[in-house]
């Protein structure tokens, strides 16, 4: 077998291959840790015996995530001498922030009622609300391929929900538990779809840097979260919980760090290698998260549920390569056009449609 620059070893050790490996490890590693800790914090009790209790303050998790993201993005802007001041009106950032806070809170709250595999697979269906909001806000049109992919994802999620256990083991046995969890999932999908679409609109309308939007959207989100916590006394209760169970703070810090590193790795991956590699990594990461959740937290899946899972991820992989083919075709058509949209901006917008943390 050949070795050296033209051999397998040479290819694997090339700077580009090492960068790709770093992106895969960074994105998958950080977001898998984020997913595991998310389930640990929201579905497993802290303490033992009579002291055993569940952490109920999902907005507190949002606050910590957003504060750490603000600090990271602000430091990067200072380092690269970017524009730290708001580019768009504050109310524009605030609209994105408000929907983002509600979406993320619904995401955490869902785990109180449905299992993590159900939540993760349900999040894959965000294509549908993104398409709806895209049509309503940006007048985007979608072809038969996009609609077919969305239909396959919906069918896969439906099969998953109909042929197996979907509720959280620690949830009450009330008959409304699954319906309440489903309602929270629909709320997450609706608000998350609006968030992605409106972020896309901000990028188009104000030509802002990604880190500028990251600073101000997360700062507004942190403000909303803090107001929410103070208004219903949850902030005091959250700190009292931490005093009783100090170990939860370590989990919260690692969760927030993983979310922040995940965002940065995602941005780097898209900038260096494009949306196709990113989409493939993210789809793989979601599948790995479901497998790990089934192993670590013992969520047995039925054969039809595995079939629904494969249908969903098969559609997502197909969609990734379909977009890559379209992008290649557009590059050929617009090769001589001076007014063509820059590849970097297009990739960033595609990333916003797939935002996961």
């Amino acid at each position: 077998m050949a070795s050296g620059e033209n051999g397998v070893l040479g290819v694997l050790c090339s700077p580009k291959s090492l960068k790709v490996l770093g992106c895969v490890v960074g994105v998958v590693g950080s977001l898998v840790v984020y997913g595991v800790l998310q389930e640990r914090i929201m579905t497993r009790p802290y303490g033992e015996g009579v002291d055993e209790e569940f952490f109920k303050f999902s907005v507190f998790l949002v606050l910590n995530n957003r504060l750490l993201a603000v600090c990271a993005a602000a430091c990067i802007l200072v380092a690269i001498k970017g524009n730290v001041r708001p580019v768009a009106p504050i109310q524009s950032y605030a609209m994105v922030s408000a929907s983002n806070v509600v979406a993320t809170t619904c995401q955490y709250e869902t785990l109180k009622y449905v299992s993590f595999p159900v939540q993760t697979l349900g999040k894959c269906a965000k294509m549908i609300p993104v398409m709806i909001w895209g049509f309503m806000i940006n007048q985007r049109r979608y072809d038969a391929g996009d609609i077919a992919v969305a239909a396959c994802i919906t069918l896969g999620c439906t099969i998953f929900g109909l042929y197996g256990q979907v509720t959280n083991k620690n949830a009450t046995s009330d008959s409304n538990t699954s319906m309440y969890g489903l309602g929270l999932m629909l709320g997450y999908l609706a608000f998350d779809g609006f968030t992605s679409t409106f972020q896309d609109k901000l990028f188009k309308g104000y030509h802002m840097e990604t880190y500028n939007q990251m600073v101000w959207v997360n700062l507004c989100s942190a403000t909303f979260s803090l107001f929410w916590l103070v208004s219903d006394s949850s902030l005091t209760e959250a700190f009292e919980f931490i005093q009783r169970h100090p170990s939860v703070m370590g989990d919260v810090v690692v969760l927030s760090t993983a979310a922040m590193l995940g965002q940065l790795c995602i941005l780097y991956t898209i900038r260096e290698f494009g949306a196709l590699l990113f989409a493939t990594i993210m789809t793989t990461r979601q599948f790995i998260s479901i497998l790990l959740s089934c192993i670590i937290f013992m969520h047995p899946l039925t054969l039809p549920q595995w079939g629904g899972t494969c249908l969903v991820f098969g559609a997502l992989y197909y969609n990734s390569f379909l977009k890559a083919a379209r992008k290649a075709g557009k590059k050929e058509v617009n090769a001589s056009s001076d007014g063509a949209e820059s590849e970097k901006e297009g990739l960033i917008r595609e990333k916003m449609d797939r935002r996961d943390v």
Side-chain angles (χ1 to χ4, degrees), residues 318-335:
Y318 172 78
N319 187 54
S320 299
F321 288 99
L322 181 65
K323 285 186 175 181
R326 288 175 181 168
K327 189 176 292 294
K330 287 181 180 179
K331 283 182 181 179
E332 291 181 4
V333 172
N334 298 326

Side-chain angles (χ1 to χ4, degrees), residues 138-157:
N138 295 328
Q139 287 74 53
R140 282 186 178 172
R141 303 288 178 176
Y142 300 94
D143 61 21
D146 294 319
I147 295 172
V149 169
C152 287
I153 291 174
T154 303
L155 177 61
C157 291

Side-chain angles (χ1 to χ4, degrees), residues 285-314:
R285 166 255 162 180
Q286 289 172 316
F287 193 75
I288 291 174
S289 294
I290 290 179
L291 289 177
L292 284 179
S293 179
C294 292
I295 294 170
I296 297 173
F297 298 104
M298 293 178 290
H299 299 299
L301 300 184
T302 63
L303 187 60
Q305 283 185 312
W306 280 116
T309 302
C310 291
L311 180 60
V312 169
F313 286 106

